[in-house]
Amino acid sequence: MTLTLAALGPALPELLLAFSALALLMFGAFAGPKSTDTVNGLALAALFAALVLVLLGPTDATLFNGAFHVDAFGRFMKVLALLGAGGTLAMSVDWLKAEKQDRFEYAILVLLSTLGMMMLISAGDLIALYMGLELMSLALYVIAANNRDSVRSTEAGLKYFVLGALSSGMLLYGASLIYGFTGSVNFAQIAQAAREPSLGLIFGIVFMFAGLCFKVSAVPFHMWTPDVYEGAPAPVTAFFASAPKVAAMAVFVRFAMEALPNVTHQWQQIIVFVSIASMALGSFGAIGQRNFKRLMAYSSIGHMGFALVGLAAGTEQGVQGVLVYMAIYMAMTLGAFACILSMRRKDGMVETYDELAGLAHTSPVKAFMLAVLMFSLAGIPPLAGFLAKYYVFLAAIESGLYALAVIGVLTSVVGAFYYLRIVKIMYFDEPAAPFEPMRSEPRVVLAVSGTFTLLFFVYPAPLIAAAGVAARALF
Protein backbone atom coordinates (compact mmCIF):
# COMPACT_ATOMS: atom_id res chain seq x y z
CA MET A 1 0.00 0.00 0.00
CA THR A 2 1.46 3.36 -1.03
CA LEU A 3 1.13 6.27 1.36
CA THR A 4 0.33 9.66 -0.10
CA LEU A 5 1.15 12.94 1.62
CA ALA A 6 -2.54 13.39 2.45
CA ALA A 7 -2.64 9.94 4.06
CA LEU A 8 0.26 10.94 6.32
CA GLY A 9 -1.83 13.81 7.74
CA PRO A 10 -2.33 12.20 11.17
CA ALA A 11 1.47 12.05 11.58
CA LEU A 12 1.98 15.69 10.53
CA PRO A 13 3.14 16.90 14.00
CA GLU A 14 5.82 14.18 14.08
CA LEU A 15 6.90 14.92 10.50
CA LEU A 16 7.15 18.62 11.34
CA LEU A 17 9.43 17.94 14.32
CA ALA A 18 11.58 15.52 12.30
CA PHE A 19 12.12 17.95 9.40
CA SER A 20 12.62 20.88 11.81
CA ALA A 21 15.33 18.99 13.71
CA LEU A 22 17.14 18.05 10.49
CA ALA A 23 16.90 21.56 9.04
CA LEU A 24 18.09 23.20 12.27
CA LEU A 25 20.96 20.73 12.54
CA MET A 26 22.16 21.66 9.04
CA PHE A 27 21.72 25.35 9.76
CA GLY A 28 23.62 25.13 13.05
CA ALA A 29 26.42 23.07 11.52
CA PHE A 30 27.01 25.64 8.76
CA ALA A 31 26.40 28.81 10.80
CA GLY A 32 28.43 27.70 13.84
CA PRO A 33 28.06 28.76 17.50
CA LYS A 34 26.56 32.16 16.58
CA SER A 35 23.41 30.34 15.43
CA THR A 36 22.44 29.20 18.95
CA ASP A 37 19.84 31.92 19.63
CA THR A 38 18.21 31.44 16.22
CA VAL A 39 18.10 27.66 16.61
CA ASN A 40 16.58 27.97 20.09
CA GLY A 41 13.88 30.34 18.84
CA LEU A 42 13.02 28.20 15.81
CA ALA A 43 12.95 25.04 17.94
CA LEU A 44 10.41 26.67 20.27
CA ALA A 45 8.38 27.72 17.24
CA ALA A 46 8.46 24.13 15.92
CA LEU A 47 7.19 22.79 19.26
CA PHE A 48 4.38 25.36 19.27
CA ALA A 49 3.44 24.53 15.67
CA ALA A 50 3.40 20.80 16.53
CA LEU A 51 1.12 21.56 19.49
CA VAL A 52 -1.31 23.40 17.20
CA LEU A 53 -1.26 20.52 14.70
CA VAL A 54 -1.98 18.01 17.47
CA LEU A 55 -4.96 20.06 18.68
CA LEU A 56 -6.34 20.56 15.15
CA GLY A 57 -5.53 17.07 13.84
CA PRO A 58 -7.80 14.03 13.50
CA THR A 59 -9.15 12.37 16.63
CA ASP A 60 -9.02 8.81 15.37
CA ALA A 61 -6.68 7.46 12.68
CA THR A 62 -4.30 4.55 12.13
CA LEU A 63 -1.17 4.44 9.96
CA PHE A 64 1.43 1.84 8.96
CA ASN A 65 -0.79 -1.21 9.49
CA GLY A 66 -1.67 -0.27 13.06
CA ALA A 67 1.85 0.68 14.18
CA PHE A 68 0.93 4.36 14.61
CA HIS A 69 -2.38 5.21 16.23
CA VAL A 70 -3.88 8.67 16.70
CA ASP A 71 -6.71 8.93 19.23
CA ALA A 72 -8.00 11.11 22.06
CA PHE A 73 -5.66 9.44 24.55
CA GLY A 74 -2.63 10.15 22.36
CA ARG A 75 -3.72 13.73 21.77
CA PHE A 76 -4.07 14.40 25.52
CA MET A 77 -0.62 13.01 26.33
CA LYS A 78 1.05 14.66 23.33
CA VAL A 79 -0.26 18.05 24.45
CA LEU A 80 1.28 17.46 27.89
CA ALA A 81 4.60 16.29 26.41
CA LEU A 82 4.82 19.29 24.06
CA LEU A 83 3.96 21.74 26.85
CA GLY A 84 6.61 20.15 29.08
CA ALA A 85 9.26 20.23 26.34
CA GLY A 86 8.41 23.81 25.33
CA GLY A 87 8.34 25.05 28.92
CA THR A 88 11.69 23.52 29.83
CA LEU A 89 13.34 24.70 26.59
CA ALA A 90 12.09 28.26 27.20
CA MET A 91 13.45 28.19 30.77
CA SER A 92 16.76 26.72 29.59
CA VAL A 93 17.89 29.39 27.15
CA ASP A 94 19.02 32.17 29.49
CA TRP A 95 20.27 29.74 32.15
CA LEU A 96 22.54 27.90 29.71
CA LYS A 97 23.83 31.21 28.37
CA ALA A 98 24.64 32.46 31.87
CA GLU A 99 26.46 29.20 32.65
CA LYS A 100 28.30 29.32 29.28
CA GLN A 101 26.78 25.98 28.26
CA ASP A 102 24.62 27.24 25.39
CA ARG A 103 25.15 25.18 22.24
CA PHE A 104 22.84 24.96 19.26
CA GLU A 105 22.75 21.15 19.58
CA TYR A 106 20.80 21.36 22.85
CA ALA A 107 17.53 22.56 21.29
CA ILE A 108 17.86 20.05 18.44
CA LEU A 109 18.30 17.19 20.92
CA VAL A 110 15.18 18.38 22.77
CA LEU A 111 13.28 18.31 19.45
CA LEU A 112 14.50 14.80 18.63
CA SER A 113 13.66 13.54 22.10
CA THR A 114 10.17 15.09 21.85
CA LEU A 115 9.72 13.42 18.46
CA GLY A 116 10.54 10.08 20.12
CA MET A 117 8.00 10.83 22.86
CA MET A 118 5.25 11.54 20.35
CA MET A 119 6.02 8.34 18.44
CA LEU A 120 6.01 6.46 21.74
CA ILE A 121 2.63 7.87 22.76
CA SER A 122 1.09 6.80 19.42
CA ALA A 123 2.75 3.36 19.27
CA GLY A 124 0.35 0.62 18.25
CA ASP A 125 2.79 -2.27 18.16
CA LEU A 126 5.99 -3.41 19.87
CA ILE A 127 8.31 -2.30 17.08
CA ALA A 128 6.94 1.26 17.05
CA LEU A 129 7.12 1.29 20.85
CA TYR A 130 10.80 0.31 20.82
CA MET A 131 11.69 2.79 18.07
CA GLY A 132 9.99 5.67 19.89
CA LEU A 133 11.59 4.70 23.19
CA GLU A 134 15.09 4.57 21.72
CA LEU A 135 14.71 7.84 19.81
CA MET A 136 13.59 9.54 23.02
CA SER A 137 16.29 7.92 25.14
CA LEU A 138 19.32 8.39 22.86
CA ALA A 139 18.77 12.15 22.80
CA LEU A 140 18.30 12.18 26.59
CA TYR A 141 21.62 10.36 27.14
CA VAL A 142 23.45 13.14 25.30
CA ILE A 143 21.50 15.97 26.96
CA ALA A 144 22.35 14.58 30.43
CA ALA A 145 26.05 15.14 29.65
CA ASN A 146 25.43 18.58 28.08
CA ASN A 147 28.00 20.29 30.33
CA ARG A 148 31.14 18.63 28.99
CA ASP A 149 33.38 20.57 31.40
CA SER A 150 31.62 19.12 34.46
CA VAL A 151 32.61 15.73 35.85
CA ARG A 152 29.18 15.41 37.51
CA SER A 153 27.33 16.04 34.25
CA THR A 154 29.49 13.56 32.32
CA GLU A 155 29.03 10.99 35.07
CA ALA A 156 25.24 11.54 34.97
CA GLY A 157 25.15 11.00 31.21
CA LEU A 158 27.27 7.84 31.46
CA LYS A 159 25.19 6.36 34.29
CA TYR A 160 21.97 7.07 32.45
CA PHE A 161 23.36 5.55 29.24
CA VAL A 162 24.62 2.33 30.85
CA LEU A 163 21.50 1.70 32.93
CA GLY A 164 19.27 2.82 30.04
CA ALA A 165 20.94 0.31 27.74
CA LEU A 166 20.30 -2.41 30.32
CA SER A 167 16.62 -1.48 30.57
CA SER A 168 16.26 -1.34 26.79
CA GLY A 169 17.72 -4.84 26.56
CA MET A 170 15.23 -6.12 29.14
CA LEU A 171 12.35 -4.46 27.30
CA LEU A 172 13.51 -5.90 23.97
CA TYR A 173 13.81 -9.37 25.49
CA GLY A 174 10.29 -9.03 26.90
CA ALA A 175 8.96 -7.88 23.51
CA SER A 176 10.58 -10.88 21.78
CA LEU A 177 8.99 -13.27 24.32
CA ILE A 178 5.57 -11.70 23.81
CA TYR A 179 5.97 -11.96 20.04
CA GLY A 180 7.12 -15.56 20.34
CA PHE A 181 4.16 -16.66 22.46
CA THR A 182 1.43 -14.63 20.70
CA GLY A 183 2.71 -14.59 17.10
CA SER A 184 2.20 -10.85 16.66
CA VAL A 185 3.69 -7.49 17.59
CA ASN A 186 0.40 -5.57 17.14
CA PHE A 187 -1.29 -4.62 20.42
CA ALA A 188 -4.81 -5.61 19.26
CA GLN A 189 -3.63 -8.99 17.98
CA ILE A 190 -1.61 -9.62 21.15
CA ALA A 191 -4.82 -8.99 23.12
CA GLN A 192 -6.64 -11.60 21.05
CA ALA A 193 -3.87 -14.19 21.41
CA ALA A 194 -3.36 -13.61 25.15
CA ARG A 195 -6.78 -14.80 26.33
CA GLU A 196 -5.14 -17.80 28.01
CA PRO A 197 -1.70 -16.61 29.11
CA SER A 198 1.21 -19.02 29.04
CA LEU A 199 4.19 -18.91 31.38
CA GLY A 200 6.38 -17.53 28.57
CA LEU A 201 3.95 -14.68 27.93
CA ILE A 202 3.92 -13.75 31.63
CA PHE A 203 7.73 -13.68 31.61
CA GLY A 204 7.56 -11.39 28.56
CA ILE A 205 5.15 -9.05 30.36
CA VAL A 206 7.46 -8.91 33.39
CA PHE A 207 10.47 -7.95 31.25
CA MET A 208 8.43 -5.37 29.30
CA PHE A 209 7.18 -3.80 32.50
CA ALA A 210 10.74 -3.76 33.90
CA GLY A 211 11.91 -1.70 30.91
CA LEU A 212 8.95 0.68 31.19
CA CYS A 213 9.42 1.04 34.98
CA PHE A 214 12.97 2.25 34.29
CA LYS A 215 11.65 5.02 32.04
CA VAL A 216 9.18 6.27 34.65
CA SER A 217 11.72 5.91 37.52
CA ALA A 218 9.63 3.35 39.39
CA VAL A 219 11.16 1.13 42.08
CA PRO A 220 13.14 -1.15 41.76
CA PHE A 221 14.42 0.43 38.53
CA HIS A 222 14.86 3.92 39.98
CA MET A 223 18.58 3.68 40.78
CA TRP A 224 19.66 6.15 38.09
CA THR A 225 17.26 8.92 39.05
CA PRO A 226 18.85 10.70 42.08
CA ASP A 227 22.38 10.71 40.62
CA VAL A 228 21.30 11.82 37.14
CA TYR A 229 18.96 14.52 38.48
CA GLU A 230 21.73 15.89 40.71
CA GLY A 231 24.55 15.67 38.15
CA ALA A 232 22.80 16.93 35.02
CA PRO A 233 22.43 20.70 34.43
CA ALA A 234 19.30 22.09 36.12
CA PRO A 235 17.31 22.74 32.88
CA VAL A 236 18.08 19.19 31.72
CA THR A 237 16.82 17.82 35.03
CA ALA A 238 13.63 19.87 34.59
CA PHE A 239 13.19 18.30 31.16
CA PHE A 240 13.81 14.77 32.51
CA ALA A 241 11.26 15.28 35.27
CA SER A 242 8.44 16.43 32.99
CA ALA A 243 7.93 15.47 29.33
CA PRO A 244 9.70 12.04 29.18
CA LYS A 245 7.77 10.90 32.27
CA VAL A 246 4.49 11.78 30.50
CA ALA A 247 5.46 9.82 27.38
CA ALA A 248 6.68 6.77 29.30
CA MET A 249 3.54 6.69 31.46
CA ALA A 250 1.41 7.05 28.31
CA VAL A 251 2.93 3.99 26.64
CA PHE A 252 2.80 2.11 29.95
CA VAL A 253 -0.96 2.69 30.12
CA ARG A 254 -1.57 2.07 26.40
CA PHE A 255 0.37 -1.19 26.38
CA ALA A 256 -1.39 -2.50 29.50
CA MET A 257 -4.88 -1.53 28.35
CA GLU A 258 -4.69 -2.30 24.63
CA ALA A 259 -2.38 -5.33 24.52
CA LEU A 260 -3.12 -6.98 27.87
CA PRO A 261 -6.81 -6.41 28.75
CA ASN A 262 -7.44 -10.16 29.10
CA VAL A 263 -4.59 -10.77 31.55
CA THR A 264 -5.26 -7.85 33.87
CA HIS A 265 -5.02 -10.01 37.00
CA GLN A 266 -1.48 -11.12 36.08
CA TRP A 267 0.02 -7.68 35.45
CA GLN A 268 -2.04 -5.95 38.13
CA GLN A 269 0.00 -7.67 40.84
CA ILE A 270 3.23 -6.32 39.32
CA ILE A 271 1.86 -2.77 39.20
CA VAL A 272 0.58 -2.93 42.79
CA PHE A 273 4.02 -4.01 44.06
CA VAL A 274 5.87 -1.38 41.99
CA SER A 275 3.41 1.33 43.08
CA ILE A 276 3.77 0.54 46.80
CA ALA A 277 7.57 0.31 46.58
CA SER A 278 7.81 3.61 44.66
CA MET A 279 5.52 5.49 47.05
CA ALA A 280 7.43 4.19 50.07
CA LEU A 281 10.93 4.87 48.74
CA GLY A 282 9.93 8.29 47.36
CA SER A 283 8.53 9.28 50.75
CA PHE A 284 11.27 7.93 53.03
CA GLY A 285 14.27 8.35 50.70
CA ALA A 286 13.89 12.12 50.39
CA ILE A 287 13.90 12.85 54.11
CA GLY A 288 17.71 12.94 54.40
CA GLN A 289 18.35 14.89 51.17
CA ARG A 290 19.60 18.50 51.19
CA ASN A 291 20.16 19.00 47.47
CA PHE A 292 16.94 20.38 45.94
CA LYS A 293 17.35 18.51 42.62
CA ARG A 294 18.06 15.24 44.40
CA LEU A 295 15.00 15.78 46.58
CA MET A 296 12.91 16.32 43.43
CA ALA A 297 14.27 13.01 42.11
CA TYR A 298 12.86 11.13 45.09
CA SER A 299 9.69 13.20 44.81
CA SER A 300 9.40 12.08 41.17
CA ILE A 301 9.82 8.41 42.16
CA GLY A 302 7.06 8.79 44.74
CA HIS A 303 4.69 10.57 42.37
CA MET A 304 5.13 7.92 39.69
CA GLY A 305 4.10 5.43 42.37
CA PHE A 306 0.95 7.45 43.05
CA ALA A 307 0.16 7.64 39.33
CA LEU A 308 0.57 3.86 39.00
CA VAL A 309 -2.15 3.41 41.64
CA GLY A 310 -4.61 4.46 38.93
CA LEU A 311 -3.14 2.00 36.43
CA ALA A 312 -3.30 -0.80 39.03
CA ALA A 313 -7.08 -0.32 39.16
CA GLY A 314 -7.21 -1.49 35.53
CA THR A 315 -10.41 0.46 34.83
CA GLU A 316 -11.44 3.44 32.71
CA GLN A 317 -11.76 5.52 35.88
CA GLY A 318 -8.23 4.47 36.86
CA VAL A 319 -6.79 5.56 33.52
CA GLN A 320 -8.64 8.88 33.84
CA GLY A 321 -7.02 9.31 37.26
CA VAL A 322 -3.56 8.62 35.79
CA LEU A 323 -4.11 11.27 33.08
CA VAL A 324 -5.29 13.89 35.56
CA TYR A 325 -2.38 13.02 37.84
CA MET A 326 0.22 13.37 35.09
CA ALA A 327 -1.16 16.75 33.97
CA ILE A 328 -1.08 18.15 37.51
CA TYR A 329 2.28 16.54 38.31
CA MET A 330 3.88 18.15 35.26
CA ALA A 331 2.53 21.60 36.18
CA MET A 332 3.84 21.31 39.75
CA THR A 333 7.22 19.98 38.63
CA LEU A 334 7.82 22.73 36.07
CA GLY A 335 7.02 25.35 38.71
CA ALA A 336 9.39 23.79 41.24
CA PHE A 337 12.22 23.67 38.70
CA ALA A 338 11.55 27.28 37.69
CA CYS A 339 12.46 28.13 41.31
CA ILE A 340 15.54 25.89 41.23
CA LEU A 341 16.73 27.65 38.06
CA SER A 342 16.39 31.01 39.82
CA MET A 343 18.61 30.02 42.80
CA ARG A 344 21.55 32.12 41.60
CA ARG A 345 23.78 34.58 43.40
CA LYS A 346 26.70 36.62 42.09
CA ASP A 347 29.14 33.79 42.79
CA GLY A 348 27.03 31.23 40.88
CA MET A 349 24.25 28.69 41.28
CA VAL A 350 23.29 27.05 44.58
CA GLU A 351 21.30 23.81 44.83
CA THR A 352 20.71 23.04 48.52
CA TYR A 353 17.28 24.11 49.69
CA ASP A 354 18.78 25.50 52.91
CA GLU A 355 19.77 28.46 50.72
CA LEU A 356 16.04 29.32 50.52
CA ALA A 357 16.20 30.48 54.15
CA GLY A 358 14.09 33.59 54.70
CA LEU A 359 12.95 33.74 51.05
CA ALA A 360 9.59 35.05 52.25
CA HIS A 361 11.36 38.25 53.38
CA THR A 362 13.64 38.75 50.37
CA SER A 363 11.20 37.60 47.63
CA PRO A 364 7.69 37.15 49.07
CA VAL A 365 5.89 36.41 45.77
CA LYS A 366 8.33 33.68 44.76
CA ALA A 367 8.19 32.21 48.28
CA PHE A 368 4.39 32.16 48.17
CA MET A 369 4.29 30.42 44.78
CA LEU A 370 6.89 27.85 45.85
CA ALA A 371 4.99 27.26 49.10
CA VAL A 372 1.80 26.62 47.09
CA LEU A 373 3.68 24.09 44.94
CA MET A 374 5.19 22.34 47.98
CA PHE A 375 1.78 22.10 49.70
CA SER A 376 0.33 20.74 46.45
CA LEU A 377 3.12 18.17 45.99
CA ALA A 378 2.41 17.07 49.57
CA GLY A 379 -1.28 16.61 48.68
CA ILE A 380 -2.73 19.28 50.97
CA PRO A 381 -6.38 20.15 50.10
CA PRO A 382 -7.82 21.98 48.23
CA LEU A 383 -4.77 22.35 45.96
CA ALA A 384 -4.37 20.52 42.65
CA GLY A 385 -2.03 17.87 44.08
CA PHE A 386 -4.72 16.76 46.53
CA LEU A 387 -7.28 16.32 43.75
CA ALA A 388 -4.75 14.36 41.66
CA LYS A 389 -4.28 11.86 44.50
CA TYR A 390 -8.02 11.81 45.20
CA TYR A 391 -8.84 10.57 41.68
CA VAL A 392 -6.27 7.75 41.65
CA PHE A 393 -7.12 6.60 45.19
CA LEU A 394 -10.85 6.68 44.40
CA ALA A 395 -10.26 4.46 41.35
CA ALA A 396 -8.24 2.03 43.48
CA ILE A 397 -10.96 1.86 46.16
CA GLU A 398 -13.70 1.23 43.59
CA SER A 399 -11.59 -1.62 42.17
CA GLY A 400 -11.30 -3.19 45.63
CA LEU A 401 -7.64 -2.27 46.15
CA TYR A 402 -8.24 -0.92 49.65
CA ALA A 403 -4.78 -1.76 51.03
CA LEU A 404 -3.09 0.02 48.13
CA ALA A 405 -5.13 3.18 48.75
CA VAL A 406 -4.43 3.12 52.50
CA ILE A 407 -0.68 2.65 51.94
CA GLY A 408 -0.80 5.52 49.43
CA VAL A 409 -2.39 7.85 51.98
CA LEU A 410 0.12 6.86 54.69
CA THR A 411 3.16 7.38 52.44
CA SER A 412 1.71 10.70 51.32
CA VAL A 413 1.63 11.81 54.96
CA VAL A 414 5.29 10.80 55.39
CA GLY A 415 6.26 12.61 52.16
CA ALA A 416 4.58 15.80 53.40
CA PHE A 417 7.39 16.17 55.95
CA TYR A 418 10.12 17.17 53.51
CA TYR A 419 7.85 19.41 51.44
CA LEU A 420 6.69 21.29 54.52
CA ARG A 421 10.28 21.56 55.77
CA ILE A 422 11.04 23.72 52.71
CA VAL A 423 8.08 25.98 53.56
CA LYS A 424 9.34 26.25 57.15
CA ILE A 425 12.84 27.21 55.92
CA MET A 426 11.44 29.92 53.64
CA TYR A 427 9.14 31.49 56.22
CA PHE A 428 10.73 30.93 59.64
CA ASP A 429 14.53 30.75 59.20
CA GLU A 430 16.88 33.72 59.29
CA PRO A 431 17.10 35.26 55.80
CA ALA A 432 20.10 34.27 53.67
CA ALA A 433 21.61 36.51 51.00
CA PRO A 434 19.00 37.33 48.33
CA PHE A 435 19.10 35.67 44.91
CA GLU A 436 19.54 37.56 41.68
CA PRO A 437 16.22 38.64 40.09
CA MET A 438 14.37 35.87 38.24
CA ARG A 439 14.57 35.90 34.46
CA SER A 440 11.35 36.36 32.56
CA GLU A 441 10.84 32.78 31.28
CA PRO A 442 11.13 30.97 34.67
CA ARG A 443 9.02 33.74 36.22
CA VAL A 444 6.22 33.13 33.70
CA VAL A 445 6.40 29.35 34.17
CA LEU A 446 6.32 29.75 37.97
CA ALA A 447 3.38 32.16 37.80
CA VAL A 448 1.34 29.91 35.48
CA SER A 449 2.18 26.75 37.43
CA GLY A 450 1.47 28.31 40.83
CA THR A 451 -1.80 29.89 39.70
CA PHE A 452 -2.99 26.65 38.09
CA THR A 453 -2.10 24.66 41.22
CA LEU A 454 -3.78 27.16 43.54
CA LEU A 455 -7.01 27.70 41.59
CA PHE A 456 -7.52 24.31 39.92
CA PHE A 457 -10.17 23.29 42.48
CA VAL A 458 -12.33 26.27 41.47
CA TYR A 459 -13.04 24.86 37.99
CA PRO A 460 -11.50 21.42 37.42
CA ALA A 461 -14.17 20.28 34.93
CA PRO A 462 -12.31 20.93 31.63
CA LEU A 463 -9.26 18.85 32.58
CA ILE A 464 -11.36 16.10 34.16
CA ALA A 465 -13.63 15.92 31.09
CA ALA A 466 -10.68 15.87 28.66
CA ALA A 467 -9.04 13.08 30.68
CA GLY A 468 -12.31 11.15 30.67
CA VAL A 469 -12.58 11.36 26.86
CA ALA A 470 -8.94 10.31 26.52
CA ALA A 471 -9.38 7.33 28.87
CA ARG A 472 -12.51 6.20 27.01
CA ALA A 473 -10.48 5.93 23.80
CA LEU A 474 -8.56 2.97 25.25
CA PHE A 475 -11.70 1.01 26.11
Side-chain angles (χ1 to χ4, degrees), residues 1 4 29 85 119 292 411 437:
M1 185 181 77
T4 63
M119 290 177 62
F292 206 164
T411 54

Side-chain angles (χ1 to χ4, degrees), residues 112-189:
L112 289 171
S113 182
T114 309
L115 171 61
M117 294 175 212
M118 295 178 71
M119 290 177 62
L120 192 58
I121 291 168
S122 285
D125 67 21
L126 296 175
I127 296 174
L129 184 155
Y130 187 71
M131 286 177 60
L133 197 70
E134 286 305 291
L135 179 56
M136 176 184 82
S137 301
L138 288 171
L140 292 178
Y141 299 150
V142 182
I143 293 176
N146 182 65
N147 184 5
R148 291 176 294 201
D149 299 325
S150 166
V151 174
R152 287 202 313 165
S153 179
T154 308
E155 180 188 350
L158 190 59
K159 281 181 178 177
Y160 190 33
F161 171 70
V162 172
L163 294 171
L166 173 65
S167 75
S168 293
M170 295 173 72
L171 186 139
L172 198 56
Y173 182 59
S176 65
L177 282 173
I178 291 172
Y179 170 68
F181 283 92
T182 61
S184 177
V185 293
N186 183 272
F187 289 170
Q189 293 175 18

Side-chain angles (χ1 to χ4, degrees), residues 378-395:
I380 306 296
L383 300 173
F386 166 76
L387 292 174
K389 290 178 180 176
Y390 169 78
Y391 282 108
V392 292
F393 290 158
L394 183 64

Side-chain angles (χ1 to χ4, degrees), residues 5 14 32 69 86 113 115 124 136 183 196 212 215 223 313 351 400 423 448 455:
L5 190 60
E14 287 79 8
H69 192 55
S113 182
L115 171 61
M136 176 184 82
E196 295 182 5
L212 293 173
K215 297 303 177 186
M223 68 291 288
E351 292 182 355
V423 178
V448 172
L455 301 179

Side-chain angles (χ1 to χ4, degrees), residues 214-457:
F214 179 90
K215 297 303 177 186
V216 297
S217 308
V219 175
F221 304 99
H222 65 286
M223 68 291 288
W224 62 275
T225 314
D227 290 341
V228 173
Y229 272 43
E230 183 181 10
V236 174
T237 307
F239 184 54
F240 277 23
S242 53
K245 292 288 172 64
V246 168
M249 187 60 73
V251 78
F252 212 143
V253 172
R254 187 186 288 279
F255 176 67
M257 294 302 163
E258 289 190 349
L260 308 171
N262 300 314
V263 290
T264 301
H265 180 68
Q266 281 78 5
W267 60 256
Q268 190 179 49
Q269 299 172 57
I270 302 171
I271 300 300
V272 168
F273 166 76
V274 167
S275 175
I276 292 173
S278 299
M279 291 187 294
L281 186 123
S283 297
F284 287 97
I287 290 175
Q289 306 301 323
R290 312 306 293 184
N291 183 287
F292 206 164
K293 291 197 295 181
R294 200 171 178 89
L295 181 141
M296 290 302 294
Y298 283 99
S299 170
S300 173
I301 293 168
H303 282 286
M304 291 303 102
F306 290 120
L308 288 171
V309 170
L311 178 58
T315 61
E316 183 180 320
Q317 186 182 9
V319 173
Q320 181 183 11
V322 174
L323 298 182
V324 172
Y325 201 101
M326 293 308 297
I328 293 172
Y329 162 79
M330 197 183 73
M332 297 186 297
T333 299
L334 287 178
F337 275 98
C339 282
I340 292 174
L341 288 170
S342 70
M343 292 170 63
R344 172 190 295 279
R345 297 196 176 99
K346 289 181 180 178
D347 53 350
M349 295 292 299
V350 291
E351 292 182 355
T352 58
Y353 57 74
D354 292 325
E355 301 292 341
L356 294 168
L359 187 66
H361 301 285
T362 57
S363 184
V365 175
K366 183 163 75 172
F368 174 75
M369 286 297 183
L370 184 55
V372 166
L373 293 170
M374 291 298 109
F375 278 122
S376 183
L377 285 164
I380 306 296
L383 300 173
F386 166 76
L387 292 174
K389 290 178 180 176
Y390 169 78
Y391 282 108
V392 292
F393 290 158
L394 183 64
I397 289 169
E398 295 198 352
S399 294
L401 301 174
Y402 304 112
L404 179 61
V406 170
I407 292 170
V409 172
L410 293 176
T411 54
S412 189
V413 171
V414 174
F417 168 76
Y418 56 83
Y419 294 121
L420 301 185
R421 180 167 60 187
I422 294 176
V423 178
K424 173 259 178 189
I425 288 171
M426 290 193 299
Y427 279 87
F428 298 107
D429 285 13
E430 286 297 317
F435 298 120
E436 291 185 357
M438 282 186 82
R439 292 177 169 83
S440 56
E441 293 87 353
R443 191 188 304 131
V444 170
V445 170
L446 178 60
V448 172
S449 171
T451 304
F452 169 81
T453 303
L454 182 62
L455 301 179
F456 176 72
F457 75 96

